[in-house]
């Protein structure tokens, strides 16, 4: 039972095991849920999905298996008539025409009528005021208008639907998608190593109880606050081709500053050279020599470089290749010094990974980073954090 569901989950990249499948069947046999599609959906999701980044993918597989909706997971590309994919005859009504369309009544009446029409209708319908379709004034379908309706597929136009089908609740958590600040924080938390350092300004409840019991009088014990002891050195590429990724980099920077107490950041353009800076408005007047950075921050720092790595290859391979100044040493020389000083280093690239092969500069920097370049997505950031925590 439900073996097709299990196979589709595996094809979609969700690690569903036979043991979890048996747990689901046992739960159904024990009647731990009501016999409704919604209850079964939540039970199956809780059983199979252990990573929130896979929630959207699970929704797509569930819709495909139990409601026949095709997805890109586990299937070969197929051609679908364009007129079935969009409402080519979307109906725009005047306010007077909208007033003439009567509501069907209560929620129960609307849903009961929907059941009847699902049973009676034999094919696709477009326009009109009764059948389930697109571009009409029927209460059922999409891209049309009705004061009280059930949108089935499509996109919201008037915000009047009472119930929405085909809505995936966790679309923004797909681990192939770009990140928001919250998701970045979740991924960065993998790079944690807690320690108690500094002044003893936090009450140690367990220690106080133990010491009081042993001494026979109140013996208050204090301890340093528990903090993330990981030290992070963040290099951010700014300007030029990085302009489209400003918002994403701001989210990454915001998440990193809140997650790491020991964080140092610097800016560079295209490739690190002999100088980096803290303030982009004064980047020509107040630069920090990169040698000072290498000597000030120890080998125990984790190095994260963020940039699209898109530039002329000469900016990396040749002295004087920088577009802003004459660099006496090639960018590749400084990259080698960085990765030698900080063995735990990764490069995060906001450009989609399927476009990397078209850039010679990306290929060169990937080689300099020993292939430790990752896309700035939830999955890519997770892989990068695993690399930084790897023992050397």
């Amino acid at each position: 039972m439900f073996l097709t569901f299990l196979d589709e989950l595996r094809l979609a990249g969700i690690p569903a095991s036979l043991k979890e499948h048996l747990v689901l069947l046992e739960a159904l046999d024990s009647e731990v849920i009501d016999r409704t599609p919604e209850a079964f959906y939540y039970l199956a999701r809780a059983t199979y999905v252990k990573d929130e980044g896979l929630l959207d993918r699970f929704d797509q597989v569930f819709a495909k298996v139990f409601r026949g909706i095709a997805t890109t997971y586990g299937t070969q590309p197929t051609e679908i008539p364009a007129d079935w994919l969009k409402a080519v005859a979307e109906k725009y009504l005047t306010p007077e025409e909208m007033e003439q369309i009567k509501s069907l009544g209560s929620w129960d009446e609307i849903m009961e009528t929907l059941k009847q029409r699902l049973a009676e209708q034999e094919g696709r319908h477009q326009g009109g005021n009764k059948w389930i379709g697109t571009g009409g004034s029927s209460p059922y379908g999409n891209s049309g208008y009705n004061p009280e309706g059930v949108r089935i597929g499509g996109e919201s136009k008037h915000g009047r639907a009472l119930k929405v089908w085909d809505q995936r609740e966790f679309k923004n958590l797909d681990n192939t998608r770009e990140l928001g600040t919250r998701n970045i924080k979740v991924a960065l938390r993998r790079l944690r190593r807690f320690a108690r350092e500094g002044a003893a300004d936090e009450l140690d409840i367990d220690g106080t109880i133990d010491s009081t019991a042993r001494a026979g009088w109140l013996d208050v014990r204090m301890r340093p606050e528990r903090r993330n002891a990981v030290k992070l050195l963040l290099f951010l590429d700014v300007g030029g081709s990085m302009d489209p990724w400003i918002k994403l980099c701001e989210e990454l920077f915001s998440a990193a500053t809140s997650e790491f107490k020991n964080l140092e950041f610097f800016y560079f353009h295209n490739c690190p050279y002999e100088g980096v800076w803290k303030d982009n408005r004064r980047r020509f007047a107040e630069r920090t020599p990169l040698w000072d950075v290498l000597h000030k921050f120890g080998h125990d720092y984790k190095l994260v470089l963020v940039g699209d790595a898109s530039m002329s290859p000469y900016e990396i391979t040749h002295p004087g290749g920088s577009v802003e100044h004459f660099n006496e040493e090639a960018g590749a020389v400084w990259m080698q010094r960085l990765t030698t000083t900080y063995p735990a280093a990764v490069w995060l690239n906001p450009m989609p990974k399927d476009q990397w092969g078209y850039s010679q500069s990306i290929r060169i920097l990937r080689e300099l980073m020993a292939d430790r370049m990752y896309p700035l997505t939830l999955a890519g950031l997770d892989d990068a954090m695993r690399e930084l925590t790897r023992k050397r």
Side-chain angles (χ1 to χ4, degrees):
M1 188 176 183
F2 301 136
L3 287 177
T4 301
F5 185 33
L6 180 64
D7 291 339
E8 292 292 339
L9 289 171
R10 290 173 172 174
L11 286 173
I14 298 175
S17 68
L18 185 59
K19 179 179 180 181
E20 291 168 333
H21 185 67
L22 294 175
V23 169
L24 176 66
L25 296 182
E26 183 179 355
L28 292 173
D29 186 58
S30 301
E31 297 185 350
V32 299
I33 60 171
D34 296 332
R35 295 185 179 183
T36 64
E38 290 81 8
F40 175 69
Y41 161 78
Y42 285 110
L43 174 64
R45 195 183 72 179
T47 303
Y48 289 121
V49 182
K50 303 299 187 294
D51 181 354
E52 64 179 3
L54 299 175
L55 288 174
D56 177 62
R57 199 176 302 184
F58 175 85
D59 284 357
Q60 294 184 57
V61 173
F62 190 90
K64 174 184 176 181
V65 173
F66 294 103
R67 289 189 287 179
I69 299 176
T71 71
T72 58
Y73 290 107
T75 62
Q76 297 297 324
T78 58
E79 293 187 1
I80 301 174
D83 62 309
W84 278 77
L85 296 178
K86 67 177 183 179
V88 295
E90 180 178 353
K91 195 167 187 177
Y92 292 93
L93 304 179
T94 65
E96 292 76 15
E97 289 173 322
M98 291 181 181
E99 288 296 329
Q100 295 174 4
I101 301 174
K102 302 299 182 181
S103 168
L104 287 178
S106 68
W107 166 268
D108 293 335
E109 291 171 324
I110 291 174
M111 299 309 294
E112 183 61 32
T113 305
L114 172 59
K115 292 179 183 179
Q116 294 175 3
R117 294 186 188 175
L118 280 172
E120 296 172 5
Q121 185 168 335
E122 298 179 354
R124 179 179 180 270
H125 185 74
Q126 184 165 310
N129 59 10
K130 177 180 179 180
W131 297 116
I132 302 165
T134 60
S137 56
S138 164
Y140 311 108
N142 69 76
S143 303
Y145 173 81
N146 192 282
E148 289 182 324
V150 177
R151 174 161 63 84
I152 302 177
E155 297 181 357
S156 175
K157 299 295 181 182
H158 304 285
R160 299 294 296 272
L162 298 182
K163 184 175 176 62
V164 177
W165 288 15
D166 297 344
Q167 178 179 348
R168 304 202 303 272
E169 297 179 28
F170 297 94
K171 185 174 181 180
N172 62 317
L173 296 181
D174 190 335
N175 62 9
T176 63
R177 296 181 181 272
E178 292 181 355
L179 300 160
T181 303
R182 175 190 174 276
N183 292 340
I184 293 174
K185 287 183 178 181
V186 172
L188 290 177
R189 285 170 188 166
R190 188 177 294 278
L191 190 62
R192 282 180 168 181
R193 187 179 69 248
F194 288 107
R196 297 189 182 277
E197 300 174 346
D201 54 5
E202 178 183 273
L203 176 63
D204 182 358
I205 296 179
D206 292 338
T208 298
I209 294 174
D210 181 72
S211 179
T212 300
R214 293 176 182 277
W217 61 80
L218 180 61
D219 187 7
V220 177
R221 294 298 178 96
M222 306 295 289
R223 65 184 179 185
E225 184 180 353
R226 186 171 178 257
R227 299 179 183 273
N228 186 2
V230 170
K231 300 176 181 178
L232 188 66
L233 196 57
L234 184 63
F235 277 47
L236 298 158
D237 183 6
V238 293
S241 59
M242 281 297 293
D243 286 347
W245 316 110
I246 289 176
K247 182 176 182 295
L248 183 59
C249 290
E250 286 177 343
E251 292 173 342
L252 174 64
F253 182 74
S254 174
T257 52
S258 66
E259 287 295 321
F260 299 98
K261 181 186 179 214
N262 301 309
L263 169 69
E264 294 291 339
F265 71 92
F266 296 95
Y267 295 109
F268 67 96
H269 181 59
N270 286 349
C271 184
Y273 297 111
E274 67 278 1
V276 291
W277 57 92
K278 285 272 193 178
D279 187 346
N280 283 304
R281 293 170 297 182
R282 301 182 60 81
R283 62 193 179 100
F284 292 109
E286 297 179 0
R287 292 202 175 209
T288 302
L290 192 52
W291 274 121
D292 290 356
V293 175
L294 296 174
H295 290 147
K296 180 177 181 180
F297 304 104
H299 302 284
D300 56 339
Y301 271 81
K302 314 285 186 181
L303 174 64
V304 177
L305 299 106
V306 183
D308 62 359
S310 299
M311 68 199 83
S312 167
Y314 297 111
E315 294 185 58
I316 308 172
T317 59
H318 287 68
S322 171
V323 296
E324 293 191 323
H325 73 292
F326 184 87
N327 52 300
E328 295 184 355
E329 294 181 290
V333 174
W334 289 104
M335 285 296 300
Q336 290 170 349
R337 288 169 179 161
L338 281 170
T339 54
T340 300
T341 303
Y342 307 107
V346 296
W347 186 297
L348 297 176
N349 194 330
M351 181 178 291
K353 191 173 183 179
D354 57 5
Q355 299 179 21
W356 291 2
Y358 301 105
S359 172
Q360 187 178 358
S361 61
I362 292 180
R363 178 183 60 79
I364 295 172
L365 282 172
R366 288 185 71 181
E367 292 177 357
L368 291 171
M369 291 296 302
D371 205 32
R372 291 174 293 175
M373 181 179 287
Y374 302 91
L376 195 46
T377 62
L378 184 59
L381 188 54
D382 189 62
D383 290 339
M385 296 305 102
R386 291 178 186 273
E387 170 62 30
L388 291 176
T389 57
R390 185 170 61 86
K391 291 184 178 180
R392 291 167 175 80

